[in-house]
Amino acid sequence: QVQLVESGGGLVQAGGSLRLSCAASGSIFSITAMGWYRQAPGKQRELVARIFSGGSTTYVDSVKGRFTISRDNAKNTVYLQMNNLKPEDTAVYYCNADLKLRMFTPVTGYWGQGTQVTVSS
C-alpha cells in the first residue's frame, strides 16, 4: 500500500512564506513524477507545480517566480517552497505521485489527504 503524507500547511499573512512537504512510502518501484495541486472553495482542482524524475518542472502561470518545487529522490519526498503568498493562494493543497509498484505494472496516480493553506490579507 502506498501512502502520501503531507505537512507544512497553515495560516500566513500575505507576502509570507510556507514550505510544504510530501513523503511517499510503501512498496514503490519507481516514481515518474510528483506534484502539487490545489482546490479552493467552489473551484476545480488545479495543477500548481510538477516535477519529473529527470528534474524538469512545470508551474501554473499564477505561481511562476513565487513557488519552487523540488524533490529528494532518495527519500521519495517532494517539497513546495511558497514565497510572496497572496490571498488567492488560499486552498487545500494536495500532493500527487505517479508511480509504479512493480517493474511491469502501469503508472498509477496516488493522492495525499490534503493540507490547508490560508493566506490572510
Side-chain angles (χ1 to χ4, degrees), residues 37-40 43-47 92 94-95 111-112:
Y37 292 69
R38 65 186 179 188
Q39 188 167 19
K43 294 188 176 181
Q44 289 188 332
R45 189 174 297 189
E46 67 169 352
L47 173 66
V92 177
Y94 296 91
C95 175
W111 293 90

Side-chain angles (χ1 to χ4, degrees), residues 26-82:
S27 181
I28 299 170
F29 175 76
S30 65
I31 299 179
T32 302
M34 298 186 77
W36 292 94
Y37 292 69
R38 65 186 179 188
Q39 188 167 19
K43 294 188 176 181
Q44 289 188 332
R45 189 174 297 189
E46 67 169 352
L47 173 66
V48 177
R50 194 168 174 82
I51 185 166
F52 296 86
S53 57
S56 61
T57 59
T58 185
Y59 296 90
V60 66
D61 285 346
S62 61
V63 308
K64 286 180 180 178
R66 300 188 297 122
F67 291 11
T68 302
I69 190 170
S70 60
R71 178 174 166 180
D72 186 333
N73 290 331
K75 296 181 179 179
N76 286 340
T77 299
V78 65
Y79 306 96
L80 186 67
Q81 178 66 43
M82 305 185 292

